Amino acid sequence: MNRFLRRMFVVLVAYPVVLAWLGVSVANRKNLPRKGPGIIIANHNSHLDLLTLLTLFPLSMVDRVQPAAAADYFLKNRLLAWFATRVVGIIPVVRGGDLQHHDPLAGCADALRQGNILILFPEGTRGEPEKLSEFKSGLWFLCQQFPEVPVTPVFLHGLGRAMGKGQWIPVPFFVDVHVDEPVYCRSDKTTFITDLKQRFELLQNNASLGREK
């Protein structure tokens, strides 16, 4: 990953789009990890999700923040693959991979071993605007390898309206970001996934109530 290109991407693309075109309010920014290893999990409604998450960190840290992203989408041609891996810094994940024969999250595990902050979207793919989909179990399998690594839930409100699935031009829409307190892996997969989903539902309700006031 090219550190210079990554920082220029954030300065020239992420900052103008997210901070100038949209505008963002961040609640409980203090809960974000200040160093790695760490895992950020967020709901996924828009291509702008990643840009928004990158703007939450100081520029000096962005080259240590790596998002996991679908290999079938971002590696479908050489130009996009180069941009995604070298400039954006994604970790390609093969969706629907067989954990018994090939670990699709091996790159994510390597990033955590290197002390990086990993961004994961537990829904697996972009859902309908402002709606939560079911969480995949891959996060739990990864956390089992790193039980000491904090998992920080981040709820993004408004990006599904600003640039939802099928849209290619962002519409100016103010975005709220709610950062929850970090949690740690639990031995029971169902309990862990259910607890995280409930946390996001609570953050979603709080975001909706805050907008109605």
Side-chain angles (χ1 to χ4, degrees), residues 29-104:
R29 186 189 292 267
K30 64 181 185 298
N31 290 332
L32 289 168
R34 298 183 180 181
K35 62 179 182 178
I39 300 174
I40 298 289
I41 59 171
N43 55 310
H44 197 20
N45 289 148
S46 170
H47 279 315
L48 298 177
D49 295 340
L50 175 56
L51 294 186
T52 301
L53 291 169
L54 288 176
T55 65
L56 301 182
F57 294 92
L59 191 60
S60 60
M61 286 182 62
V62 295
D63 52 290
R64 306 291 292 180
V65 180
Q66 288 190 271
D72 59 303
Y73 185 91
F74 287 97
L75 303 186
K76 56 187 177 183
N77 64 63
R78 289 186 178 182
L79 180 59
L80 180 58
W82 177 86
F83 181 81
T85 56
R86 300 295 181 181
V87 180
V88 183
I90 73 159
I91 300 172
V93 174
V94 179
R95 289 189 283 198
D98 185 354
L99 288 173
Q100 293 183 344
H101 299 93
H102 173 70
D103 183 3

Side-chain angles (χ1 to χ4, degrees), residues 43 45 123 128-133 154-157 178 197-212:
N43 55 310
N45 289 148
E123 294 165 289
E128 295 300 317
E130 307 310 314
K131 292 184 179 180
L132 287 171
S133 302
V154 177
F155 182 76
L156 308 170
H157 177 71
H178 296 261
K197 183 69 180 299
Q198 290 175 346
R199 282 174 173 267
F200 272 90
E201 290 171 348
L202 180 60
L203 291 172
Q204 184 180 40
N205 290 336
N206 291 341
S208 298
L209 290 174
R211 273 295 168 198
E212 291 175 359

